[in-house]
Amino acid sequence: MAKRSIHWFRKGLRIHDNPSLIAACENAVDVKPIFILDPWFSENGNVGINRWRFLLQTLLDLDANLKKINSRLFVIKGKPQEVLIDLFKKWNITTLTYELDTEPYAKLRDADVDDLARECGVEVIRCVSHTLYDTKRIVDKNGGSAPLTYKRLQTVVSMLGLPPKPVAEPSKCPTAVSMNHDQHYGVPDLKSLHKNPNECGPCLFPGGETEALSRLDRMMKKTNWVCTFEKPKTEPNSLQPSTTVLSPYLKFGCLSARTMYHRLHEIYKQNKKHTAPPVSLEGQLLWREFFYTVGSVTPNFDQMVDNPICIQIPWDTNVEFLAAWKQGRTGYPFIDAIMTQLREEGWIHHLARHAVACFLTRGDLYISWEEGKKVFEEYLLDADWSLNAANWMWLSASSFFYQYFRVYSPIAFGKKTDKDGSYIRKYLPVLKNMPTQYIYEPWTAPLKVQEKAGCIIGKDYPKPIVEHDKIRPINIQRMAQAYKNRPDKSCSGETKGKGQKRKPELKTEERNSKKAKTTSKTNKKITDFMKEGK
DNA sequence: TTCCTGTTGTATAC
DNA sequence: GTATACAACAGGAA
């Protein structure tokens, strides 16, 4: 029987380094490259307007690239399980190919589809190409569980050798296309998806494989920059991005992580002196790999409850604070500028994410990281399920990172790299005439200064919703308490998880009594604070 | 059990 | 720019 394939694009929205697309094309008489607009993502995906635009741009570009190899993209709306069963029959399909996806919804969906394919006598070919390695191999090599530190991840992947080299584009992809293809299978625009294009922000990072590869080229040409790149030393509030902004392209698979990895590797080979993980550009790809791996095997990875690697913290519920944070009106210009850039442009620097995430959670507002994660999920072009959950756990000191006493200052942190507050003036124009000495703390400006700057605090720009210096030590103590209340991990499986056993108290009597004193004092502070809050 | 390390804290002193 | 106190966490290696 002649081979007739469907290649199902989900992530991996590219024709370079796409082994499952190659598998679809091999010896086939007909290949149908499809993308299914699954209503699940509209209902549960929390996709903001800018990311919708990015996706549609990406699909248009994918269609254009497929045309170059004599094919077309077929975009179909519907539930994948139903769409595929129709198409198997309609197109007399023998083979289905797709890229492996490790996210929970994808795993369930794909298991369903595999069953349907089996019932229909359709062969299924799945390839790993979204991550550098097959995350299952990393888990296996680590003894059946995910590595929980970056160091450990590094050790494990070093045992696996270099990630596979990217595969070449398919040279031909024979696709029968009807005259009215665009009418039936064309890429929709925002309006036809009932989205309002006027709500989009400026398009600084257009979607698509073509843009991804040219952006990668631009970045890799800066050899010296690549070889000296140290992530923690890049600036969160520069007016031009200080990092690559390849993340949205990696998220959708417009860019293959392996392609990027091996491009870096070539550059490193030619330049003896270069930075190394975790801070280097290669290190950034390994962070992605790390979080994908942990996310692929950890139950309830995107929530606190029933997530075995997440510390249970009794976060506050405060809808007003949450809304102020989301909408960029906390009264802290650095925080509000970042949240404005996020909402309007869909990308913010990693350290800017740190600053606002710390502020929302353990630093200032003491609101659950899950709430912050939802907001990032909506606004970020690069919102990536594993990375988003992992980084929110990191910043809230719920997992991976535990030094909860290291708190970012919403005033001091931004000053380090933008003394004049140009970034704040750009994203919060209401503050653009505030004198530099007050730009990070405009509430401290004398009224006359505020009048002259055309920005009255409390009227034109909000007063701070919390006092950072007062709330910070209180929150640190609340975190200490939450850590202390953790179930003892060393106890047996039977008692484990019941939350009865407590970690031993501090070692010496002296410290013990000192600690007890501080804690009770702080507890009183917390109680007083709560009362005042009401 | 102890010791070391951990991408990216802040404020202060020199 | 670099060192240090702050008050002190967890995971993992030794």
Side-chain angles (χ1 to χ4, degrees), chain A residues 32 36 110 115 197 360:
Chain A
K32 294 280 196 285
I36 304 175
D110 294 350
D115 287 345
L360 179 74

Side-chain angles (χ1 to χ4, degrees), chain A residues 106-123:
Chain A
K107 280 199 255 189
L108 292 172
R109 176 197 64 196
D110 294 350
D112 270 2
V113 167
D114 290 356
D115 287 345
L116 292 170
R118 198 176 306 115
E119 286 164 24
C120 298
V122 171
E123 177 198 22

